[in-house]
Amino acid sequence: MAFEGLTEKISNTFKKLRSRGRLTEADVKDAMREIRLALLEADVNFKVAKSFIKSVTEKATGADILESLSPAQQVIKIVNEELTALLGGQNARITIAPNPPTIIMMAGLQGAGKTTNCAKLAGLFKKQQQRRPLLIACDVYRPAAIEQLKVVGGQLGIPVFDMGQGDPIEIAKAGIDFARKNGHDLVFIDTAGRLHIDEALMQELQNIKAAVKPHEIMLVVDAMTGQDAVNVAQTFDEALGIDGVLMSKMDGDARGGAALSVKSVTGKPIKYIGTGEKLDNIEPFHPDRMASRILGMGDVLTLIEKAQQSFDEKQAAETAKKMAVGKLTLTDFYEQLQQMKNMGSMQEMLGMLPGVDAKALAGAQIDEKAMAHTEAIIQSMTPKERDNPSIINYSRKKRIATGCGLGIEEINKLLKQFDMMQKMTRQLMGMQKRGKKKKRGLPGLGGFKLPF
């Protein structure tokens, strides 16, 4: 994940600061020197790193800070505030036009993930704001670009307007007319990219901009290209006048220097980040939350939002009712697993909790392979068996084992764990009804583990 190395180094620096009762100006400068090296190793722009350290040092070496009751905490607070400012200060969103449709022009180089992220962004607006987006295929040069947009658009249930390998300017204009006639309130124009910046690319983008007058120009840059991503953003902004950046492949760049540099160098905010290959792996960029993640302080707000988006409230209420009477089924259990998976990897979720070292989770994370085995076993059961596991005898276990490609011992293990979970749930509900609170722990929990 992005900033992995930076988080580790800054956390170690903070530990050293906390270990000292009183701080001297030399202590702070030593810490800032370590953070500066960490920033440069994370591929942060040299001038940006220098300016950041200068600003933090000036504020952190003031007499009121060094003489406070907890100077280390004050220094950490300053680093957090300056890091948030460096990343853009406040969350910046796409400006919605008062009269629909809002026209968003997507630009970027080939390989940055422009076409996929164009659809991802449209999908995000459809899901979270109940918008009616339309994708317009104006990349008429790259082989299969139009087909790619149709495939991802189809997976998200978003229509795609195209006119084949025609004039991109005419396609864009016709697409916007189509959106107006058919009630689409958001239009995303997928423009052509190149392997490098050239005059022909910029001229075409300028012509499309002049013809359709987009409300927003969103540049897609690849986080894994490091400072090249910042240079690309700067060049596009000078030639086209971009409004914001969508930084793709943030999950693949362990350094994250581009994200820390782009706002400071270009003056344009990062508005969205791509966090994985799945079509829902995109999220708004929150500078304060990202600063908190970098400093190892977690990101509980994003974790809560992911949970709210992934979990069906009605289904959760029905499950709670079943739990109250001790009638949770394997079907309910399977559905809960699916919703947990939709939130992302367990390591990513645990890494959002304050004080949890994401790098140290390798041996402590939930076994994703075992979770897949659990799903395979449940899928190999009949609906009757899922609702009433007590009917599963030896012959049924043999059939289930054959269906999922696992051994009977795996089936027995899951059934035993599920039975223990049922008993524990009934005990918890019984205690809740009686209103008893025991400080020494809950009865029957000894040795209980989830089956993954």
Side-chain angles (χ1 to χ4, degrees):
M1 189 60 188
F3 307 112
E4 196 175 286
L6 181 60
T7 297
E8 185 182 6
K9 288 181 174 67
I10 290 180
S11 294
N12 289 337
T13 303
F14 285 169
K15 280 178 186 175
K16 290 178 186 176
L17 284 179
R18 289 194 191 100
S19 67
R20 295 181 174 91
R22 287 289 183 192
L23 293 182
T24 65
E25 194 169 319
D27 291 332
V28 174
K29 287 184 176 177
D30 285 344
M32 290 307 109
R33 191 177 299 112
E34 289 179 22
I35 292 175
R36 178 173 172 271
L37 287 171
L39 290 170
L40 293 174
E41 285 176 21
D43 203 21
V44 175
N45 179 280
F46 172 75
K47 290 181 180 177
V48 172
K50 185 179 178 183
S51 174
F52 174 79
I53 294 301
K54 182 184 177 185
S55 179
V56 173
T57 304
E58 285 175 358
K59 292 180 180 179
T61 52
D64 55 333
I65 301 296
L66 296 179
E67 293 173 11
S68 67
L69 291 173
S70 54
Q73 293 294 341
Q74 295 288 345
V75 172
I76 293 166
K77 181 174 178 285
I78 291 168
V79 173
N80 187 22
E81 289 170 352
E82 291 297 313
L83 198 54
T84 300
L86 183 65
L87 288 162
Q90 294 181 335
N91 169 238
R93 299 288 181 97
I94 285 175
T95 304
I96 301 297
N99 299 314
T102 299
I103 303 166
I104 299 150
M105 179 175 161
M106 306 291 287
L109 297 181
Q110 274 184 29
K114 176 171 49 60
T115 298
T116 303
N117 280 285
C118 183
K120 278 186 179 183
L121 194 54
L124 187 70
F125 274 90
K126 180 185 176 185
K127 182 180 179 182
Q128 293 189 356
Q129 298 186 20
Q130 289 71 54
R131 300 279 178 180
R132 296 190 69 244
L134 174 72
L135 302 172
I136 301 179
C138 288
D139 186 351
V140 297
Y141 308 110
R142 182 169 64 86
I146 296 171
E147 189 58 34
Q148 182 188 351
L149 193 64
K150 285 182 178 179
V151 168
V152 289
Q155 289 172 347
L156 291 164
I158 299 170
V160 176
F161 180 89
D162 83 286
M163 292 166 55
Q165 312 293 122
D167 180 355
I169 297 169
E170 293 305 315
I171 294 170
K173 287 161 70 176
I176 291 164
D177 287 340
F178 178 87
R180 288 196 177 102
K181 290 173 185 174
N182 291 274
H184 294 284
D185 53 6
L186 271 179
V187 170
F188 291 86
I189 303 173
D190 181 32
T191 63
R194 301 284 193 280
L195 293 173
H196 59 278
I197 295 166
D198 59 18
E199 287 184 20
L201 167 65
M202 288 305 176
Q203 188 59 56
E204 182 177 294
L205 294 175
Q206 288 165 358
N207 292 343
I208 293 174
K209 178 184 176 181
V212 303
K213 297 179 175 57
H215 300 98
E216 186 100 13
I217 298 177
M218 182 73 66
L219 180 69
V220 181
V221 294
D222 182 350
M224 294 180 71
T225 58
Q227 284 309 298
D228 279 346
V230 181
N231 297 334
V232 166
Q234 198 169 15
T235 306
F236 267 86
D237 185 44
E238 289 168 359
L240 196 62
I242 64 173
D243 297 293
V245 172
L246 189 160
M247 191 153 285
S248 66
K249 307 178 189 176
M250 280 289 284
D251 59 312
D253 178 31
R255 296 174 300 174
L260 282 166
S261 306
V262 70
K263 176 66 168 69
S264 184
V265 173
T266 67
K268 306 297 176 172
I270 299 171
K271 294 192 174 183
Y272 295 90
I273 53 173
T275 56
E277 294 180 2
K278 294 179 181 177
L279 293 177
D280 60 352
N281 289 156
I282 185 170
E283 59 186 59
F285 183 74
H286 297 272
D288 54 342
R289 299 185 194 181
M290 188 57 72
S292 185
R293 283 194 218 182
I294 293 169
L295 300 180
M297 297 173 181
D299 184 1
V300 176
L301 285 175
T302 298
L303 184 60
I304 291 169
E305 285 176 4
K306 280 179 176 284
Q308 287 174 337
Q309 291 164 20
S310 300
F311 283 82
D312 185 306
E313 285 185 26
K314 186 178 177 183
Q315 188 179 324
E318 289 174 1
T319 303
K321 283 181 184 177
K322 290 181 180 180
M323 286 178 71
V325 293
K327 289 187 177 179
L328 196 69
T329 67
L330 280 165
T331 300
D332 300 319
F333 185 54
Y334 178 78
E335 287 169 352
Q336 294 297 315
L337 287 182
Q338 293 303 307
Q339 291 180 342
M340 284 173 67
K341 280 179 69 177
N342 289 339
M343 288 179 65
S345 73
M346 292 298 159
Q347 184 169 345
E348 183 187 347
M349 283 191 285
L350 290 171
M352 290 182 187
L353 296 173
V356 176
D357 182 0
K359 200 171 184 183
L361 293 173
Q365 66 182 347
I366 289 172
D367 189 341
E368 308 263 358
K369 187 178 178 183
M371 187 186 282
H373 286 180
T374 299
E375 290 179 357
I377 292 168
I378 297 173
Q379 284 177 320
S380 299
M381 294 177 182
T382 65
K384 192 175 178 181
E385 288 167 343
R386 292 181 200 174
D387 292 341
N388 187 13
S390 62
I391 68 169
I392 301 176
N393 54 23
Y394 182 73
S395 62
R396 287 176 183 267
K397 288 175 185 177
K398 279 183 71 176
R399 193 203 75 247
I400 294 166
T402 303
C404 64
L406 297 167
I408 289 179
E409 64 275 8
E410 294 281 346
I411 317 296
N412 288 331
K413 184 181 175 184
L414 172 61
L415 293 174
K416 185 179 178 182
Q417 294 285 0
F418 184 71
D419 184 55
M420 286 177 68
M421 187 174 77
Q422 290 279 56
K423 288 177 181 175
M424 184 191 75
T425 302
R426 283 193 289 269
Q427 286 176 339
L428 288 171
M429 291 302 168
M431 287 177 65
Q432 191 177 43
K433 285 177 183 177
R434 293 191 301 270
K436 291 182 180 178
K437 294 180 181 179
K438 295 189 179 181
K439 294 181 180 179
R440 290 179 298 169
L442 297 170
L445 287 180
F448 173 74
K449 282 172 62 182
L450 283 171
F452 48 81

